[in-house]
Amino acid sequence: MSPPAGLLPWPSPSTTRLAPPTPTRPPPRTTRVRSPRLLLLPLTLAFAFLPLRLLRRHHRLASSPPRQNQPPPPSLCHPSLPPLRLRRPPASIASTSGSTCSGCTHEVDLDKPPVLQEVANFFKGHGVGDFTFSRGRLSQWRCRAKLAVRGTPENPLIGLYQEGTHVVTDIPECRAHHPSINAAVKLLRQGISELNIQPFDEDAGTGELRYVQMAVTTYNTSIPVDKRYEQGRVQVSLVWNSRDERSTNAEKLTLLIEFLWRNGGPKSNFHLIHSIWANFQTSASNIIFGHKWRHLKGERDLWERYGGVDISLDPCSFGQANTLSFNSLLHKLNKYVPRGSTVVDLYSGAGVIGLSVAASRKCRSVKCVEINKQSKMSFEKSASRLPANLGCSITWHNTDASVEPAHWLEGSSVVIVDPPRKGLHPSVISALQKVALSEHKAYKAKSSLAKVKDEKRPWILRAREAAVHVDDTTTEESSETWPETLIYISCGWESFKKDCKSLISSKAWQLENAHAFNFFPGTDSIEILAIFKRESEAGRKKKKKAKKKAK
């Protein structure tokens, strides 16, 4: 088989064989009759001296010093990428071409983010003795990338903006990217040049291709588990500068899609592309995606395995870039969910965390709350693959968790929050504080007063109804139940510190456990999994009595 156009050739076994010597002189024109013994004499002598030659060659190789930094043979998975020769991180994690981009803030000690010591000291100062840090994979970890497309057809730039600017830095061989993404970017660059696709010009608002999103799926049950990650395939989403597929420049979009599918699809020499989508965006703002999506080639559903559950993610759905570290976080999270819990998952997205908790068979009910209505379809598809007879009622609600958050906390014993980088909404913080500090009956009376206002806002009542109800198992959720456990997942350290101090300063919650994960090696970002416990009223009375006795 030959590789796609523009990629390096496959390693061939024939390159290791010794070619027969070519004659230095042309054969004589006259024909002479020679004796058979004379004909066999040169061949006999050659075989006689062959052992001696091989012995000398073996002695020379054994006595010579080993070569330094000898590269391994090219990978059969992605022949377009140079092999990683070093165990330690390369000089620049961003690119082997020497260019730098805003994706990485430091190049050494990738397993020790600069903020790690501050994080460890913070939790130690708040009484967390078993704080742990998971370093994860340090290269080829990013399975989801959004890249800007600028430059010219002859020299397209596909990469990230330089910090504080809209100048795109080309990153053709990013060490953080999964190898499949780098191979797909190289194929896209070739298609842009060959088909004369015009990259987007922000100043003039002209051009055809604005951005591209690459998402890797390692879900492939036809190959061994240990081979699935390195042989991941790419879902390509092209952000086209037009209103829809009927625009004047849609013909070039069709040509580009056919080029990618012909050279990277299932009928190509190397199956790299999982599917191709188009997103249409004409806005002059910095928003990457428009509202119109079209599935054009390949499988419609991109499946991945998270927390023991098959998850379907549309290109418009949020997905974690570091799938390996995210799975480690889910495995750790499930240990802190008590058996028999009633769980509410705020900021749930496509419901990955909630479905993973439901699949653990430890819960009586799981409610997922998400504001993005486009995540509903992904949740439905993922829930359809859950194991049968979980004994758990699972619902998904399309609403804003910051509006009347007390409604979602009521009847739940565990609340899971995974907010955006800016942290929890003040209304959610306030509701969590009141839950922990108020008497159950008193707080129930306050929350019931809001129902009078709901009658004037019917959209809140509709939002509280389950948009998706997976299991018919009926569970009796007592309105007297309030969260005893708060599981906080954070991608923004500064916002987490602020929220954490708000929760523990009023003695509403106690910080019991904390773990950190290296989701973005090469940056100062760190993912936090923190476990808070609410002290019961009986426990607080016991402490007061103990203090009085001590006095």
Side-chain angles (χ1 to χ4, degrees), residues 270-284:
F270 178 67
H271 190 183
L272 172 68
I273 307 298
H274 168 273
S275 56
I276 303 177
W277 289 69
N279 177 265
F280 299 96
Q281 168 70 296
T282 58
S283 172

Side-chain angles (χ1 to χ4, degrees), residues 265-475:
K267 293 185 179 180
S268 64
N269 293 328
F270 178 67
H271 190 183
L272 172 68
I273 307 298
H274 168 273
S275 56
I276 303 177
W277 289 69
N279 177 265
F280 299 96
Q281 168 70 296
T282 58
S283 172
S285 65
N286 293 331
I287 298 175
I288 294 179
F289 294 131
H291 297 294
K292 293 182 180 179
W293 288 88
R294 295 291 184 273
H295 170 245
L296 301 171
K297 289 287 184 180
E299 301 178 40
R300 183 179 182 88
D301 300 324
L302 181 121
W303 291 93
E304 192 56 87
R305 188 80 172 173
Y306 292 112
V309 182
D310 294 344
I311 300 296
S312 172
L313 291 176
D314 288 332
C316 58
S317 298
F318 171 78
Q320 290 287 353
N322 195 331
T323 58
L324 297 178
S325 291
F326 184 49
N327 268 313
S328 298
L329 184 147
L330 291 176
H331 179 72
K332 183 77 70 174
L333 181 151
N334 278 317
K335 295 182 178 180
Y336 292 105
V337 178
R339 191 167 297 277
S341 299
T342 53
V343 179
V344 59
D345 179 15
L346 305 182
Y347 310 93
S348 68
V352 179
I353 298 174
L355 292 172
S356 173
V357 171
S360 67
R361 300 180 183 271
K362 298 169 66 176
C363 308
R364 293 188 291 117
S365 70
V366 174
K367 293 183 292 187
C368 298
V369 181
E370 170 59 31
I371 192 173
N372 182 10
K373 63 180 180 181
Q374 294 179 327
S375 299
K376 175 183 176 182
M377 185 177 297
S378 293
F379 181 87
E380 288 179 323
K381 293 177 181 178
S382 303
S384 67
R385 290 199 177 185
L386 286 174
N389 302 323
L390 288 178
C392 176
S393 175
I394 310 166
T395 54
W396 186 87
H397 306 261
N398 178 214
T399 185
D400 187 353
S402 64
V403 178
E404 302 289 354
H407 171 78
W408 305 109
L409 300 180
E410 187 175 3
S412 301
S413 61
V414 176
V415 56
I416 301 174
V417 294
D418 185 11
R421 189 172 295 273
K422 62 183 179 181
L424 293 174
H425 192 275
S427 64
V428 178
I429 290 283
S430 177
L432 288 170
Q433 290 175 333
K434 290 178 181 178
V435 163
L437 293 175
S438 303
E439 294 282 353
H440 289 179
K441 294 181 180 179
Y443 191 67
K444 180 188 176 184
K446 291 180 182 179
S447 64
S448 62
L449 293 176
K451 296 180 180 180
V452 178
K453 298 180 180 179
D454 291 346
E455 296 178 359
K456 299 180 181 180
R457 294 179 291 175
W459 59 273
I460 291 183
L461 297 178
R462 289 196 300 269
R464 289 179 178 179
E465 296 177 359
V468 183
H469 193 180
V470 179
D471 198 284
D472 292 333
T473 303
T474 57
T475 59

Side-chain angles (χ1 to χ4, degrees), residues 101-160:
C101 70
S102 59
C104 298
T105 58
H106 62 276
E107 301 174 354
V108 296
D109 294 333
L110 302 180
D111 57 339
K112 298 177 182 178
V115 75
L116 179 60
Q117 190 59 51
E118 178 190 343
V119 173
N121 292 338
F122 177 87
F123 288 122
K124 183 179 179 181
H126 288 85
V128 177
D130 59 346
F131 170 76
T132 62
F133 173 70
S134 176
R135 64 192 294 271
R137 188 175 184 138
L138 301 182
S139 63
Q140 301 179 353
W141 54 265
R142 180 175 282 279
C143 293
R144 185 175 289 260
K146 296 176 183 176
L147 306 173
V149 182
R150 301 293 185 267
T152 63
E154 298 77 19
N155 184 29
L157 304 177
I158 305 177
L160 301 177

Side-chain angles (χ1 to χ4, degrees), residues 499-513:
D499 292 347
C500 180
K501 290 177 181 178
S502 298
L503 291 169
I504 64 179
S505 61
S506 59
K507 299 181 181 180
W509 294 87
Q510 292 183 345
L511 179 61
E512 290 206 347
N513 305 92

